[in-house]
Amino acid sequence: MDKTTIMGVSIDPRNIHAVDVQNILTRHGCIIKTRLGLHETSNDSCSHKGTILLQLCGSNEEIQTLEKDLLEIKDVNVNKMEI
């Protein structure tokens, strides 16, 4: 069975870096099988911290390149796991 790589991307403040992160995700879109964006929101406020969960299907090299590109953005943190 193939391994699945899950990558968590934390962006704080997301309102400052969202466009840069989106551009990178678009550039690497062929290896992103599933994407889920999360942030706290209510009628009174919207959190500046965002989290994106990615299910990746690329090679190790492609995944490492995506991670490297994301980490070049200040205030972006990345963690990943294989299952």
Side-chain angles (χ1 to χ4, degrees):
M1 181 195 311
D2 291 334
K3 292 184 220 174
T4 298
T5 300
I6 304 296
M7 180 179 285
V9 182
S10 173
I11 310 161
D12 188 11
R14 71 177 176 79
N15 57 326
I16 302 295
H17 301 298
V19 172
D20 295 328
V21 170
Q22 178 58 46
N23 287 335
I24 290 169
L25 296 179
T26 298
R27 210 166 53 234
H28 295 276
C30 290
I31 67 166
I32 299 172
K33 186 172 184 178
T34 305
R35 172 183 169 171
L36 175 63
L38 307 166
H39 71 275
E40 293 294 322
T41 187
S42 69
N43 289 336
D44 301 331
S45 67
C46 185
S47 173
H48 290 287
K49 183 173 183 178
T51 302
I52 300 172
L53 299 177
L54 303 171
Q55 178 187 11
L56 303 173
C57 60
S59 68
N60 287 337
E61 182 179 280
E62 291 171 313
I63 292 169
Q64 288 173 353
T65 301
L66 169 59
E67 181 177 15
K68 177 186 161 290
D69 289 350
L70 288 167
L71 289 173
E72 288 178 356
I73 302 173
K74 183 180 185 233
D75 302 319
V76 170
N77 294 301
V78 175
N79 286 293
K80 65 180 187 257
M81 67 176 177
E82 288 185 353
I83 53 175

